[in-house]
Amino acid sequence: MDIDGFPRQFARTRRFSLGVPHDVTVSPDGDRVLFLRSESGVVPRAHLWMFEAGTERIIAGPATAYAADREVRVVACLFDGSLWTARTDGGGPPRRIPTAGPVRDPRPSPDGTLIAYVTRGALHVVGADGTGDRPLAVPETTDITYGLPDHTAEESIGRARGHWWSPDSDALLVARVDTRGVERRYVSDPADPGRAPRPIPYPAAGTANAVTSLHLVTVAGAHTPVQLPGRASARDAPAGSWGLGFEYVVSAGWQSAGPVIALQTRDQKTLRVLRADPVTGAVGTLAQQTDDAWVEHPPGAPLHTDGGMLVLPEVRGDERTIRLGDVLAPAGLHVRSVLGSVGERVLFTAAEEPTETHVWAYEAGRGFERLTHEPGVHTATAGGSTLVVDSRTPDGHTLTVLRGGERVGTLAVLAERPLVTPRPARLALGERQLRTRLHLPSWYEPGRPKLPVLLSPYAGPGLQLVTKGDGWHAAVCQWFAEHGFAVLAIDGRGTPGRGVRWQRAVVGDRLGPVLDDQIDGLRAAAEQCGALDLARVGIRGWSFSGYLAAGAVLRRPDVFHAAVAGAPPTDRRLYDTYWEERFLGHPDLEPLGYERSSLLPLARNPARPLLLVHGLADENVAPAHTLRLSAELLAAGRPHSVLLLPGVGHMVTGEGVADTLLRHELGFLRSSLGM
C-alpha cells in the first residue's frame, strides 16, 4: 500500500470517479449504448462514447451532459455552455449549433428534427441543423425561469428537468419557476473583496418555496397552462396535516397517454398523480396516496408505461414497495428505485438485505424475476432486449452489456485502483443489528496495544455507506486505519434500506437516535474486537455526518474525544424546506424539534477538540452554519478550530484542496487523541 501517495490520488481522480462510465442510454432497438466517460482515471474532461457491435468509440466531446432523440440517432451534447450535435449513424462529425446564449439542458425532440434548450431563463428551440432558433417561453422578470427545475426539485427531490417533449415533437410540457417570494442568500468570496456577492433564492425551513406551474407550449408558440390543483382536501388528508398546498412537482413526463404529473403537498403527506389533456390543460386524477409521516417516492416513480400501467410507491407494513397496476412487488423486498420500462416490462431495484441492492423485472404473465445475483449493489439501463448492468461488488466495479440475457461485452471502467486496498470486516452489531464496516491496519496483530477509534459515518437519510458495493469511502477509511486507527462506518436509524420504521425513527429529532446508534455500534464493536481503545475515540464527517460529528463531541463528550466536522448544518432552521420539514415539520408549528436538533445550544457543554471546516462558496449548506456555531463556542469560552476554504463549494475536490484537507484531518485527529 502507498499510504503517502493516496491523498493526492484521491484528489487527482476526484474520488476515483474519473474514468467511470455514467449517464448510460440504450437505444430502443438495443443496438447502441451511449455513455459519458473520461479517457482515463485522471483526465477530468469526459467524452460521449458509443458501444455498438461489441466495441466502443468516441462520437463527440468533450461533453458534460447529453440527451438523445427517441431512436438514439441524434444527440445533443453540452460543453462549457455550448451546444453540439452528433449522430450515431455515421452522419458526419460533431457540429456546433449557434444559440442565443449559454445553454442549459439541451434535449432533442423525439423525431430528432429540433433541439430545445434553456438560456438566461428562456426556453428556446433550434433545428438540429442549426437553423430557426427562436424563443418559445421568455421570462417576465429576472426572478422567473422557463424549462428549469427550482432549487428544491433539483437538490432535494431529485428532479433535474424542467421541460419534456411531446411524443409527436410538436409541443413541450414546460415548468415555469417564480422565485420572487423566496428569501435571498448572498454567496461571496471573501478572498476577492472586489467581487460583489451573488444572490441565490434559497427556501429555508418555514419560508416560502418557489412557485412552480406547468405549461403546454407548442413549437408554433401557443401557451396553455396546465390546470394544477392548488390544495389537497382537508377531509382526505392524514391527521396532523398542516401544509395542504401542492407546492412540489415531484415528477413529470409526456408519453403516449399524455402529460403525467406527480404533485406533493408542502407537508409531504399527500401525493397526487395527474394526467393532463394535451390540448386544454385540464387534469384528471390517476391516483392519490397519503401517509401520516410522508409519502416516499423512490427515484423513477410514479411511472406510467406506454400501455397504460401505473407504477406507484406504496407502504406495506414496514416495507417500502411498489404497486404495478394491481400487483405488489414480492414480500420481503424494500424497493429502492424504478429504473423504467421497455414495453410493459418494468425494471426496478430492491433490497432484501440492507447491504445489497439487486435489479428486478416484472411483466404481466411472466411475473417477477431477479436479474442480478452476485452480492453487491446493482442498477441497470435497458432498451429493446439489451440490458446494461452497473455492478459494484467487493471485487470491483463493472458495467456488463447483456442482450437477450447473454453477455455481449462490457463498458470499460478506466478508474484508477486506490493505492490503499480496503480490507473491512462486515458486522451486524447490537440489538438493532447495525450494519457496520470495521477497518483495522493491515499491519495490526492481535495482542498489540489497542488502537484509537475513528468513526467515519454518513448516517443521514438518502445514503448508505455500509454496502457490499464498496466505493471511495472504504478506501479513505482504510487510509486512516493504516495510520493507526480502528475505523468504523455505521449505518444507523434514518438511513435507507431498512424499512419504514427505521427511516421514521428520526422524525422530530435529527440528532438523538442517530447519535445513539453510533454509540451503540461503537460499544458493540469494542466487545467483539479487543483492538478498540474506547478512551480515545474520534469522529469525522461532512454535511449531515459533519453535523453528527460536531453533535457527538458537544452532546456526548464522555464518549467522543475529538471531531472533524465538515460543512455541518448546525441550525436546522437554516436548511431547506423539503428535508427539514419532512422530519421536523414547520418550525412555527413544531419549534421543539428544531431546538432539539440544533447544535447551537450545545456550545455551552464541556469542550473537546473540534475542527470545523467549510467551503465559503457552499450554496447547499451555507457557511453561516459553521460561523454561527463558532460564535456560540467563542461566547461560551470553548476552544475550537475553524478552517475556511475560499472558492470551495459543498463538495471538496481537486488537487491542493481535497488531498491537503485529508492530511490536515489526520494531523488534527492524531494530535487530539494523543497519538
Side-chain angles (χ1 to χ4, degrees):
M1 294 189 189
D2 181 3
I3 60 174
D4 292 334
F6 176 80
R8 183 170 180 268
Q9 184 196 36
F10 176 73
R12 188 179 67 245
T13 62
R14 297 188 181 178
R15 302 180 179 181
F16 305 99
S17 65
L18 300 179
V20 176
H22 58 97
D23 293 330
V24 177
T25 301
V26 183
S27 62
D29 58 12
D31 290 344
R32 297 171 302 287
V33 178
L34 300 185
F35 59 96
L36 293 175
R37 188 187 63 204
S38 57
E39 294 184 78
S40 77
V42 295
V43 175
R45 294 197 306 180
H47 288 76
L48 179 64
W49 297 72
M50 182 168 69
F51 175 94
E52 185 179 30
T55 61
E56 299 177 355
R57 62 183 175 91
I58 294 175
I59 63 169
T64 53
Y66 78 95
D69 66 349
R70 181 167 42 221
E71 301 301 324
V72 190
R73 299 288 184 187
V74 177
V75 186
C77 299
L78 180 65
F79 180 69
D80 283 348
S82 61
L83 172 61
W84 293 74
T85 59
R87 297 194 64 93
T88 65
D89 54 6
R95 175 182 179 183
R96 183 169 183 174
I97 303 297
T99 58
V103 171
R104 293 183 64 180
D105 198 18
R107 295 190 178 269
S109 58
D111 65 7
T113 61
L114 299 170
I115 299 173
Y117 69 91
V118 179
T119 183
R120 301 187 180 96
L123 179 70
H124 281 242
V125 67
V126 62
D129 60 359
T131 63
D133 190 314
R134 59 194 184 279
L136 295 183
V138 178
E140 297 84 348
T141 75
T142 57
D143 299 319
I144 294 172
T145 61
Y146 283 93
L148 297 174
D150 64 284
H151 168 90
T152 300
E154 190 164 20
E155 295 292 333
S156 301
I157 295 174
R159 175 174 60 80
R161 297 182 58 177
H163 61 277
W164 303 265
W165 278 101
S166 70
D168 295 332
S169 304
D170 59 351
L172 298 105
L173 177 66
V174 181
R176 177 185 184 270
V177 174
D178 186 344
T179 63
R180 284 177 290 185
V182 180
E183 289 186 355
R184 263 42 181 182
R185 289 185 174 176
Y186 297 87
V187 179
S188 62
D189 183 1
D192 185 1
R195 180 180 297 179
R198 178 169 54 88
I200 60 170
Y202 188 95
T207 69
N209 279 317
V211 177
T212 298
S213 55
L214 294 174
H215 301 258
L216 299 162
V217 180
T218 69
V219 171
H223 286 223
T224 303
V226 178
Q227 299 169 26
L228 300 178
R231 294 172 60 83
S233 168
R235 180 178 54 197
D236 299 331
S241 293
W242 54 267
L244 297 178
F246 283 111
E247 297 194 17
Y248 300 119
V249 178
V250 171
S251 66
W254 196 335
Q255 299 180 8
S256 58
V260 176
I261 303 149
L263 304 177
Q264 196 173 30
T265 53
R266 174 72 179 253
D267 63 11
Q268 303 178 49
K269 296 181 180 183
T270 300
L271 178 78
R272 185 177 295 177
V273 182
L274 308 169
R275 181 189 289 127
D277 184 294
V279 176
T280 67
V283 298
T285 299
L286 294 175
Q288 179 164 305
Q289 293 182 322
T290 61
D291 192 281
D292 291 340
W294 71 84
V295 178
E296 184 91 355
H297 49 89
L303 170 72
H304 199 266
T305 69
D306 288 343
M309 183 172 68
L310 192 60
V311 181
L312 289 169
E314 190 159 315
V315 170
R316 175 178 52 199
D318 194 43
E319 296 172 0
R320 293 203 181 277
T321 185
I322 52 174
R323 180 175 294 278
L324 305 101
D326 297 325
V327 179
L328 285 174
L333 291 184
H334 294 276
V335 174
R336 307 301 300 273
S337 66
V338 177
L339 302 175
S341 60
V342 177
E344 294 306 296
R345 191 181 194 218
V346 177
L347 298 170
F348 62 97
T349 60
E352 297 167 274
E353 151 60 37
T355 60
E356 297 186 31
T357 301
H358 288 279
V359 178
W360 287 74
Y362 169 78
E363 188 171 4
R366 296 179 58 180
F368 291 90
E369 178 185 7
R370 182 167 140 178
L371 304 181
T372 56
H373 301 280
E374 184 179 1
V377 175
H378 307 267
T379 186
T381 308
S385 64
T386 296
L387 186 71
V388 180
V389 180
D390 187 330
S391 303
R392 292 182 180 268
T393 71
D395 294 330
H397 187 186
T398 60
L399 285 93
T400 305
V401 183
L402 305 172
R403 184 163 296 146
E406 299 296 324
R407 183 179 182 274
V408 297
T410 62
L411 308 185
V413 177
L414 306 178
E416 289 195 357
R417 295 191 67 85
L419 295 173
V420 173
T421 302
R423 47 191 309 274
R426 303 179 192 278
L427 309 172
L429 298 174
E431 178 183 354
R432 287 186 285 277
Q433 293 290 283
L434 300 164
R435 300 313 195 262
T436 302
R437 281 198 330 261
L438 169 61
H439 297 257
L440 296 178
S442 59
W443 45 260
Y444 185 79
E445 298 175 356
R448 297 187 66 167
K450 291 186 175 183
L451 300 168
V453 185
L454 176 62
L455 275 69
S456 186
Y458 180 73
L463 178 63
Q464 287 175 274
L465 288 183
V466 184
T467 71
K468 293 178 182 174
D470 291 337
W472 63 265
H473 185 266
V476 170
C477 287
Q478 191 66 43
W479 180 76
F480 276 101
E482 296 301 325
H483 284 90
F485 293 92
V487 183
L488 288 168
I490 303 170
D491 282 346
R493 285 172 291 176
T495 57
R498 288 288 299 269
V500 176
R501 289 189 296 273
W502 190 265
Q503 287 184 288
R504 292 180 181 175
V506 298
V507 170
D509 187 350
R510 300 297 308 274
L511 180 61
V514 180
L515 182 55
D516 288 346
D517 283 352
Q518 297 298 311
I519 295 171
D520 289 351
L522 168 67
R523 290 172 173 167
E527 291 178 2
Q528 287 196 26
C529 178
L532 278 63
D533 182 0
L534 296 189
R536 294 183 293 167
V537 179
I539 183 171
R540 65 180 292 271
W542 194 268
S543 196
F544 181 89
S545 54
Y547 161 77
L548 174 60
V553 291
L554 293 174
R555 181 174 285 186
R556 294 300 303 271
D558 57 316
V559 176
F560 298 94
H561 309 104
V564 177
T570 62
D571 184 351
R572 309 310 308 197
R573 288 175 179 262
L574 285 180
Y575 203 59
D576 78 13
T577 53
Y578 197 77
W579 276 115
E580 294 312 309
E581 293 172 5
R582 166 177 288 193
F583 302 109
L584 300 178
H586 194 289
D588 293 345
L589 302 176
E590 301 179 69
L592 292 181
Y594 287 84
E595 295 171 12
R596 188 183 300 118
S597 303
S598 174
L599 301 187
L600 303 186
L602 303 179
R604 297 182 292 273
N605 290 352
R608 291 289 192 184
L610 171 61
L611 170 62
L612 298 170
V613 186
H614 219 119
L616 289 175
D618 194 335
E619 297 182 8
N620 185 4
V621 181
H625 285 275
T626 283
L627 297 176
R628 289 187 183 186
L629 178 58
S630 177
E632 292 291 336
L633 290 167
L634 282 173
R638 302 293 185 254
H640 62 286
S641 301
V642 179
L643 175 62
L644 300 177
L645 308 176
V648 173
H650 192 59
M651 302 297 293
V652 179
T653 59
E655 291 183 71
V657 181
D659 49 342
T660 305
L661 180 57
L662 267 183
R663 294 191 180 97
H664 189 72
E665 288 186 57
L666 175 65
F668 175 85
L669 290 165
R670 288 177 61 88
S671 173
S672 300
L673 296 177
M675 297 172 66

